[in-house]
Amino acid sequence: RMWGALKGAVDGGLHIPHTNKKFPGFKASDEKGGESEYDADAHKEKIFGGCVKDYMEMLAEEDPTKYEAHFSKYIGADIDGEKIEDMYTEAHEKIRADPDYEMTEKKGITHAREAEKITSSDGTDHVRFNKLTLEQRRAKVAMKIAKAQEMLMAVDADDAEDE
C-alpha cells in the first residue's frame, strides 16, 4: 500500500526521491553487476486491479457462493472482473478533475465507557478489555499456579487415603 501511495504521489507530480526496486514488476538481475529490469506494465496491472480481476474470475468459477459473499458490493454495483479496470480508470479521472480533498461531515456519534463496556450514541455496544499491568499479570499467573498445586495436593491426598 505504501508503495502504491508513493507511486500515486510521484505520478501526481510530487518530487519524492525513490527507487523502482520496491515496485511490482521490478526484477533484480541474476548476476552481480548485471542489469535489472522494471516492467511498468506489470505495475500498471496492479494499480488498475488486475490481481483483483484474476481473483474474482477464479472465485466465480471455483466457488460461486464465496464469490458472492466476497464481492457482494461489486455485484450490487454491476461490476465484474472485466469492469474493474474501467472502475479504477474512472476513479483516477475524477481525482485528476478535482484533486482537492473535502472533509466529510462528522456523524456526531459519542461514546460512553463503563468499565469494559462502550456504548455509542447510535445504539451499538462494544466490549474492550482493559490492559493488565505487569504486577496484575504476575499475580494472575501465581494464582493459577497455586490453584494447580492445590489440585495436585488434593489428588495426592486422595491417593494416600486409598492405600
Side-chain angles (χ1 to χ4, degrees):
R1 290 183 190 174
M2 181 185 77
W3 298 108
L6 173 67
K7 175 73 172 150
V10 169
D11 288 349
L14 294 177
H15 175 69
I16 301 173
H18 69 285
T19 179
N20 291 341
K21 288 182 180 180
K22 299 288 184 182
F23 291 151
F26 180 81
K27 183 181 176 195
S29 65
D30 294 333
E31 304 167 0
K32 189 168 181 123
E35 198 162 314
S36 55
E37 299 174 16
Y38 173 66
D39 183 10
D41 290 333
H43 196 172
K44 181 182 177 190
E45 186 176 328
K46 285 277 192 183
I47 291 171
F48 285 98
C51 51
V52 176
K53 174 187 167 191
D54 295 340
Y55 183 63
M56 282 179 84
E57 291 171 352
M58 184 268 306
L59 263 186
E61 290 175 11
E62 293 181 10
D63 193 355
T65 309
K66 192 173 182 180
Y67 168 76
E68 290 173 7
H70 279 295
F71 296 104
S72 60
K73 295 212 176 184
Y74 287 96
I75 294 168
D78 195 35
I79 296 172
D80 60 356
E82 299 300 321
K83 296 179 184 174
I84 290 281
E85 186 172 345
D86 298 335
M87 179 186 71
Y88 282 114
T89 303
E90 183 181 329
H92 290 165
E93 288 171 0
K94 287 181 181 178
I95 291 170
R96 285 188 195 101
D98 185 18
D100 296 328
Y101 176 73
E102 295 177 12
M103 293 286 289
T104 56
E105 191 173 317
K106 294 197 176 201
K107 296 179 181 177
I109 297 174
T110 57
H111 307 282
R113 183 175 190 138
E114 292 179 28
E116 295 175 346
K117 184 178 180 183
I118 299 173
T119 306
S120 301
S121 61
D122 65 349
T124 57
D125 292 329
H126 304 282
V127 177
R128 301 287 186 260
F129 296 103
N130 291 329
K131 203 170 187 183
L132 298 177
T133 63
L134 178 62
E135 293 82 24
Q136 290 171 328
R137 290 193 312 265
R138 285 183 176 164
K140 191 175 174 182
V141 168
M143 199 167 64
K144 285 181 181 181
I145 291 172
K147 187 175 180 181
Q149 287 175 340
E150 284 177 22
M151 289 175 59
L152 286 174
M153 295 296 279
V155 169
D156 286 344
D158 289 342
D159 288 344
E161 290 176 6
D162 290 340
E163 292 176 5

